[in-house]
Amino acid sequence: RDYVNRKLSEMPEYRGHVAAVTLHLWRGAYQIYHVEIVKTTGHVPVPFFSAPLIDFSVQWRALLDGACVGNIDFFDPQMNFVNAPSKANSQVGVDQPWPQKIKELYPLKINRFTVHNGEVHYRDFSRTPKVDMIFDRVQMVATNLTNSKKLSKTMVAELQIEGRPLRAGDLRAQIALDPYAEKPTFTLRSEASEVPLVKLNDFAKAYAGITFEAGTLKLAIEMTSNRGHFSG
């Protein structure tokens, strides 16, 4: 626990803390409980990331193919992206040190990760009304992140996402990407449907001074990026 807390506290502008760690040697795993990562600069009233449980484990099936890689499973995680007039009060992205911290927390390359019942928030506390755009019930599976033909028939990683935008609609997305490309290289297909427009009222009023009385939103996106050159 002390080791994990020390590593999480070495991130610039952020501080992390976990309440407990348990080891499961028989399956090559360990679990960390009640993870919270908060920004230390400015005033941001919500954590950047929190989760009651994260499980790191060996991907045993990959061992049969001669690869020693790992899994990460996130249970009920929440992420908060915050927009604010100043950089100190904003939480808008993931900086370079984060992948290195994951490597320091688990010795194996991560080949697969899952998210169970996650939430992602876009917040703006500086607006009137305050904005909280939520994407909940997030289920996510990412595979072949090591980019290895030992583990799959392709060197492309795949990411599948589904969830509920604004606690009402339905969103599904499929992404195929090269996780080791120097510039973004991916294919994205995504569709959101049955989103009541009235759920957008705080956002629309805060940024455009308008409100919706009725209607639904349906949105479909297809996009590709070849080494940073986008089309869609």
Side-chain angles (χ1 to χ4, degrees):
R1 183 193 62 186
D2 292 342
Y3 173 81
V4 173
N5 281 329
R6 184 170 67 252
K7 290 301 177 182
L8 291 178
S9 296
E10 292 173 353
M11 298 175 292
E13 299 186 359
Y14 289 87
R15 181 184 70 254
H17 181 266
V18 305
V21 174
T22 59
L23 301 178
H24 302 269
L25 298 180
W26 61 274
R27 64 183 184 93
Y30 81 96
Q31 296 178 324
I32 55 180
Y33 295 88
H34 302 293
V35 185
E36 187 172 77
I37 297 172
V38 298
K39 192 167 186 180
T40 56
T41 61
H43 176 68
V44 182
V46 290
F48 175 67
F49 174 84
S50 62
L53 174 63
I54 303 176
D55 184 278
F56 295 81
S57 63
V58 173
Q59 189 174 355
W60 290 104
R61 183 177 296 180
L63 287 175
L64 301 177
D65 298 315
C68 190
V69 295
N71 302 315
I72 302 182
D73 295 285
F74 297 88
F75 296 90
D76 302 310
Q78 182 178 123
M79 292 190 72
N80 291 287
F81 296 94
V82 179
N83 185 48
S86 67
K87 182 180 178 181
N89 293 333
S90 300
Q91 288 182 164
V92 293
V94 177
D95 295 326
Q96 187 64 30
W98 289 76
Q100 180 61 35
K101 291 304 169 186
I102 295 294
K103 292 179 182 179
E104 292 174 358
L105 292 177
Y106 196 67
L108 302 182
K109 287 185 176 180
I110 300 301
N111 188 60
R112 182 179 185 273
F113 82 82
T114 64
V115 172
H116 306 274
N117 194 36
E119 286 188 8
V120 179
H121 294 254
Y122 168 82
R123 301 179 187 265
D124 193 333
F125 299 99
S126 67
R127 297 283 178 166
T128 302
K130 292 181 174 62
V131 175
D132 182 9
M133 301 282 288
I134 181 173
F135 179 34
D136 70 350
R137 297 184 183 176
V138 177
Q139 309 294 329
M140 184 184 306
V141 179
T143 57
N144 202 36
L145 296 177
T146 57
N147 213 230
S148 172
K149 283 189 175 180
K150 285 184 178 181
L151 303 177
S152 71
K153 297 179 181 179
T154 175
M155 292 183 68
V156 175
E158 294 186 352
L159 179 62
Q160 296 186 351
I161 306 170
E162 61 181 60
R164 188 175 65 160
L166 303 175
R167 301 190 190 276
D170 180 75
L171 184 143
R172 299 177 186 274
Q174 292 184 326
I175 305 171
L177 72 154
D178 181 353
Y180 293 99
E182 292 185 3
K183 296 183 178 180
T185 300
F186 64 85
T187 300
L188 163 68
R189 291 191 176 95
S190 178
E191 182 174 342
S193 60
E194 302 303 324
V195 181
L197 287 176
V198 293
K199 294 284 187 177
L200 291 167
N201 275 345
D202 285 351
F203 180 87
K205 188 174 181 180
Y207 291 105
I210 62 175
T211 58
F212 300 101
E213 293 185 357
T216 57
L217 172 68
K218 183 174 182 178
L219 177 68
I221 297 174
E222 290 189 358
M223 179 184 296
T224 61
S225 175
N226 184 9
R227 298 182 179 180
H229 299 282
F230 297 88
S231 62

